[in-house]
């Protein structure tokens, strides 16, 4: 019984259910690249549909495609297609699903887009609320004034 | 879920390690001012295990001084409990894993490279170290200097003595990736000064890339590499027992304008991919190839070489390139692709001579890539 199962495992299909109900049928070895899913399978062997409550169908589709196609060339072009909002959501998805290659690719992509930009730009792009008081911010700027030079006027 | 909200701070939903990982890809200077983004970000930059300094405009010793002060200030800021004078402790205490210090003097011949801060050499947590344009004076023997270092990239470095350089390599027991280019020694040396370091083999080394280094690098230390790019220079004294057998080498890139290239092949029994390129601007001669003795044919040619690439150069005579290409095509029994990089002008002559030449391998495909021959 166990032998039969392992022979068939390479073509065994699994269903992943995104947060908006979209279903994806993927091969077991693709799903295993998501360590969170792997842990799920390890816990309950006979599971066929795995819920992915934190990821929209749109992003899960992108993640699955990434796992299937990833290589140096693909990775280099991959990040160019997505806007900052999608990149962040994809990173959240990759982090939740625990896919190290995709996390690395996305971290680099996000870093590239904020490189040499001012803190104001970065705040805007990430929608970070500035909860420093004006005095606190002034103090930090003074403390690191040697770093606040040579940045794109953006 | 907040997918429908227009302006959501999604990035704050990520754990600290991921944010620090993003910060590790941007220059340290910029990482520092993420501290003003919000309260969450105040201390994140201090935990980024990477310091990344690039300064491309060092025009004077004042610039160098300013840069050194900046590095010192960063290291100091990561741990306020240390006094600003004890810089020797700072790098060690900061637990830095990735350090990339790239300096580039505009007029190198007129400026002296700055001295590498000693603290860098005591930074035992380093995993990746990339340095460019520094002077290193004394390196003490310390086999566990960099116990975790996997990648070392040294460019335009001046060492006081060759021993200092070799002792540095000796201190990297788990090194996997080594890149060296333009390494110079202030004090004179003899070529056999390096022999004492041959046994300190870099056992885990997988890739080595050694160019523009005009000294006898102890090649035996590279015996386990899988990928090797090396430039053999005119004054190199080849001794067959000076070269080890490269048991794992599958990809070799070497210059062919030095009559050692084919002899080096004798030491690469499992080679699959060979790249030959010209380095110096004189015609290449290799008398070895005119002999047709079966015994002298390197094993890799008859049994493992599948890919060969030869780069033409504008002042190489076509004759030598064709002789080399035909030698390989004649002896390489499992060759699948022979690619010649040349310009369109010379292409037709090369093609006419090679395309009908008998090939030892039935599956060998000949292909051409066009380049501007002024690019070496």
């Amino acid at each position: 019984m166990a032998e039969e199962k392992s022979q068939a495992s390479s073509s065994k299909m699994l269903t992943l259910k995104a947060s908006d109900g979209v279903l994806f049928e993927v091969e077991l070895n693709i799903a295993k690249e998501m360590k969170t899913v792997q842990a799920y399978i390890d816990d309950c062997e006979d599971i066929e549909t795995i819920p992915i409550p934190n990821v929209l169908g749109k992003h899960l589709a992108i993640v699955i495609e990434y796992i299937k196609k990833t290589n140096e060339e693909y990775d280099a072009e991959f990040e160019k297609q997505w806007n900052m909002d999608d990149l962040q959501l994809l990173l959240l998805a990759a982090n939740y699903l625990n896919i190290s290659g995709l996390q690395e690719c996305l971290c680099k992509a996000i870093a590239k887009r904020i490189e040499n930009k001012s803190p104001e730009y970065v705040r805007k792009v990430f929608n970070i609320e500035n909860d420093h008081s004006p005095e606190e911010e002034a103090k930090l700027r003074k403390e690191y004034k040697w770093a606040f030079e040579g940045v794109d006027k953006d | 879920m907040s997918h429908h909200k227009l302006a959501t701070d999604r990035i704050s939903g990520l754990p600290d390690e991921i944010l620090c990982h993003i910060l590790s890809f941007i220059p340290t200077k910029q990482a520092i001012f993420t501290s003003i983004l919000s309260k969450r970000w105040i201390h994140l930059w201090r935990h980024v295990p990477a310091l990344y300094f690039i300064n491309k405009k060092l025009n004077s010793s004042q610039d160098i001084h300013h840069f050194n002060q900046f590095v010192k200030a960063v290291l100091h800021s990561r741990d306020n409990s240390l006094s600003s004078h004890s810089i020797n402790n700072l790098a060690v205490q900061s637990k830095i894993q990735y350090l990339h210090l790239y300096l580039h003097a505009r007029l190198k011949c007129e400026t002296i490279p700055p001295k590498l801060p000693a603290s860098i050499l005591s930074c035992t947590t380093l995993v990746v170290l990339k340095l460019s344009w520094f002077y290193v004076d004394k390196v003490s023997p310390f086999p566990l200097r960099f116990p975790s270092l996997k990648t070392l990239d040294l460019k335009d470095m001046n060492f006081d003595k060759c021993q200092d350089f070799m002792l540095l390599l000796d201190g990297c027991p788990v090194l996997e990736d080594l890149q060296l280019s333009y390494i110079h020694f202030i004090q004179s040396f003899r070529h056999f000064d390096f022999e004492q370091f041959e046994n300190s083999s870099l056992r885990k080394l997988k890739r080595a890339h050694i160019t523009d280094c005009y000294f006898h690098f102890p090649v035996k230390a590279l015996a386990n590499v899988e990928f090797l790019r090396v430039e053999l220079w005119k004054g190199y004294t080849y001794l067959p027992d000076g070269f080890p057998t490269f048991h794992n080498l599958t990809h070799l890139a070497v210059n062919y304008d030095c009559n050692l290239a084919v002899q080096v092949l004798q030491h690469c029994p499992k080679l699959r991919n060979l790249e030959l390129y010209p380095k110096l601007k004189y015609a290449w001669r290799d008398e070895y190839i005119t002999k047709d003795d079966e015994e002298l044919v390197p094993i890799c040619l008859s049994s493992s070489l599948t890919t060969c690439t030869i780069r033409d150069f504008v002042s190489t005579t076509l004759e030598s390139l064709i002789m080399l290409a035909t030698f390989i095509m004649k002896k390489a029994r499992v060759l699948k692709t022979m690619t010649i990089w040349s310009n369109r002008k010379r292409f037709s002559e090369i093609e006419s001579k090679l395309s009908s030449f008998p090939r030892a391998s039935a599956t060998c495909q000949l292909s051409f890539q066009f380049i501007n021959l002024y690019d070496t």
Side-chain angles (χ1 to χ4, degrees):
Chain A
M1 192 63 184
E3 274 169 354
E4 276 177 355
K5 207 171 173 183
S6 63
Q7 263 179 8
S9 68
S10 55
S11 53
K12 183 179 171 193
M13 302 300 274
L14 209 62
T15 306
L16 302 176
K17 184 171 172 184
S19 63
D20 47 2
V22 183
L23 297 171
F24 295 89
E25 234 197 10
V26 291
E27 283 175 18
L28 189 65
N29 58 339
I30 303 282
K32 280 181 170 187
E33 292 293 313
M34 309 179 202
K35 297 215 175 68
T36 307
V37 171
Q38 167 80 74
Y40 213 107
I41 300 172
D42 288 343
D43 260 353
C44 4
E45 274 184 9
D46 288 328
I47 196 90
E48 281 188 5
T49 304
I50 297 179
I52 313 278
N54 295 359
V55 187
L56 279 175
K58 159 185 170 185
H59 295 116
L60 192 54
I62 297 169
V63 168
I64 291 170
E65 173 131 354
Y66 176 90
I67 296 173
K68 286 184 184 165
K69 293 198 179 160
T70 177
N71 62 32
E72 256 180 61
E73 265 181 58
Y74 183 79
D75 284 12
E77 295 301 302
F78 175 76
E79 58 100 354
K80 293 180 189 169
Q81 317 168 50
W82 318 115
N83 63 33
M84 190 47 123
D85 214 45
D86 279 326
L87 279 183
Q88 291 176 72
L89 285 166
L90 284 168
L91 183 54
L92 281 164
N95 180 243
Y96 171 73
L97 292 167
N98 201 345
I99 308 167
S100 51
L102 181 56
Q103 277 188 86
E104 182 82 3
C105 176
L106 291 166
C107 281
K108 277 191 195 161
I110 291 175
K112 203 162 133 183
R113 296 202 193 181
I114 60 169
E115 195 172 342
N116 288 325
K117 302 291 189 207
S118 67
E120 291 73 29
Y121 177 90
V122 174
R123 254 194 224 122
K124 196 175 81 176
V125 136
F126 287 149
N127 294 311
I128 297 176
E129 198 193 309
N130 185 0
D131 54 358
H132 287 311
S133 70
E135 298 82 33
E136 280 169 350
E137 185 171 329
K139 189 172 158 215
L140 282 167
R141 279 189 186 263
K142 189 171 168 201
E143 199 178 329
Y144 299 125
K145 73 169 189 276
W146 38 269
F148 284 83
E149 290 153 21
V151 143
D152 290 1
K153 296 231 175 330
D154 210 313
Chain B
M1 280 233 78
S2 54
H3 296 298
H4 308 294
K5 224 165 131 189
L6 274 177
T8 321
D9 176 2
R10 305 188 196 288
I11 204 98
S12 302
L14 288 165
D16 280 358
E17 304 89 64
I18 304 285
L19 297 181
C20 287
H21 197 59
I22 294 176
L23 291 184
S24 71
F25 294 110
I26 62 177
T28 300
K29 203 165 171 176
Q30 191 186 5
I32 291 169
F33 54 66
T34 59
S35 54
I36 69 164
L37 289 178
S38 78
K39 288 200 203 300
R40 165 104 192 273
W41 290 76
I42 293 180
H43 295 295
L44 282 179
W45 76 271
R46 288 175 205 267
H47 300 290
V48 175
L51 287 184
Y52 176 29
F53 301 101
I54 284 194
N55 188 321
K56 295 190 178 163
K57 291 181 290 180
L58 287 181
N59 293 331
S60 65
S61 56
Q62 199 183 43
D63 284 343
I64 293 173
H65 175 75
H66 181 78
F67 184 75
N68 279 344
Q69 290 302 100
F70 172 68
V71 174
K72 196 165 152 179
V74 168
L75 292 178
H76 173 60
S77 297
R78 287 169 67 99
D79 193 334
N80 287 330
S81 63
L82 297 171
S83 80
S84 57
H85 299 297
S86 60
I87 186 159
N88 278 326
N89 294 324
L90 288 173
V92 178
Q93 303 246 11
S94 318
K95 300 200 172 77
I96 298 166
Q97 290 177 340
Y98 300 88
L99 181 58
H100 185 157
L101 274 170
Y102 175 87
L103 305 184
H104 177 81
R106 244 190 6 185
L107 295 167
K108 273 189 215 154
C109 49
E110 291 183 21
T111 56
I112 304 165
K115 186 164 158 222
L116 185 74
S119 54
I120 307 295
L121 293 179
S122 342
C123 201
T124 51
T125 49
L126 283 174
V127 174
V128 173
L129 177 59
K130 299 188 185 190
L131 300 171
S132 166
W133 191 230
F134 281 100
Y135 162 64
V136 182
D137 69 353
K138 183 152 174 59
V139 177
S140 49
F142 185 17
L144 286 176
R145 178 181 304 283
F146 293 127
S148 315
L149 195 72
K150 289 200 180 161
T151 302
L152 180 63
D153 188 334
L154 301 175
K155 192 177 153 189
D156 286 315
M157 301 285 289
N158 287 5
F159 287 82
D160 194 41
K161 297 191 292 294
C162 59
Q163 280 91 322
D164 296 311
F165 170 65
M166 294 313 306
L167 286 171
L168 181 63
L169 287 189
D170 246 4
C172 309
V174 299
L175 200 66
E176 290 180 9
D177 212 303
L178 176 64
Q179 283 204 45
L180 302 170
S181 111
Y182 291 105
I183 308 288
H184 300 289
F185 303 106
I186 309 292
Q187 295 196 35
S188 61
F189 57 93
R190 299 148 301 179
H191 86 244
F192 45 84
D193 275 342
F194 294 94
E195 280 171 18
Q196 59 182 288
F197 295 101
E198 276 175 356
N199 294 323
S200 54
S201 81
L202 298 163
R203 287 183 206 286
K204 303 251 171 112
L205 198 68
K206 293 201 179 129
R207 297 175 62 92
H209 192 128
I210 303 176
T211 53
D212 293 294
C213 290
Y214 302 105
F215 57 91
H216 284 75
F217 187 89
V219 196
K220 281 188 182 159
L222 304 176
N224 291 342
V225 293
E226 296 168 7
F227 172 93
L228 177 62
R229 174 177 285 273
V230 67
E231 260 167 26
L232 302 171
W233 43 283
K234 210 168 149 189
Y236 193 93
T237 319
Y238 171 76
L239 296 165
D241 54 354
F243 263 74
T245 305
F246 293 106
H247 297 287
N248 301 323
L249 192 67
T250 52
H251 188 141
L252 172 69
V254 67
N255 49 320
Y256 64 80
D257 49 6
C258 185
N259 60 1
L260 305 181
V262 179
Q263 286 164 310
V264 171
L265 286 182
Q266 296 283 12
H267 301 268
C268 315
K270 300 206 181 131
L271 197 69
R272 293 206 285 264
N273 191 331
L274 176 63
E275 274 180 59
L276 295 161
Y277 60 91
K279 167 69 180 174
L280 303 166
K281 299 170 175 51
Y282 59 86
W284 167 85
R285 302 249 183 279
D286 191 334
E287 291 182 10
Y288 170 86
I289 293 199
T290 59
K291 296 182 200 147
D292 222 348
D293 194 337
E294 276 303 319
E295 277 174 25
L296 293 174
V297 175
I299 299 172
C300 60
L301 284 192
S302 27
S303 59
S304 57
L305 195 75
T306 55
T307 314
C308 182
T309 310
I310 306 181
R311 263 187 101 109
D312 191 5
F313 183 71
V314 67
S315 52
T316 309
T317 63
L318 270 183
E319 186 196 295
S320 41
L321 181 136
I322 288 171
M323 193 157 69
L324 179 64
T326 51
F327 171 72
I328 292 176
M329 282 160 68
K330 195 162 139 187
K331 303 293 181 187
R333 299 214 196 113
V334 294
L335 192 66
K336 290 195 184 133
T337 340
M338 165 69 84
T339 310
I340 313 280
W341 290 58
S342 185
N343 67 5
R344 287 185 197 273
K345 228 164 107 177
R346 284 154 70 107
F347 154 74
S348 49
E349 197 185 328
I350 301 174
E351 208 226 355
S352 66
K353 296 232 164 84
L354 291 185
S355 51
S356 51
F357 191 85
R359 300 165 204 183
S361 162
T363 54
C364 177
Q365 305 264 26
L366 183 61
S367 72
F368 291 86
Q369 297 271 6
F370 296 110
I371 49 166
N372 180 341
L373 280 187
Y374 294 96
D375 302 329
T376 41

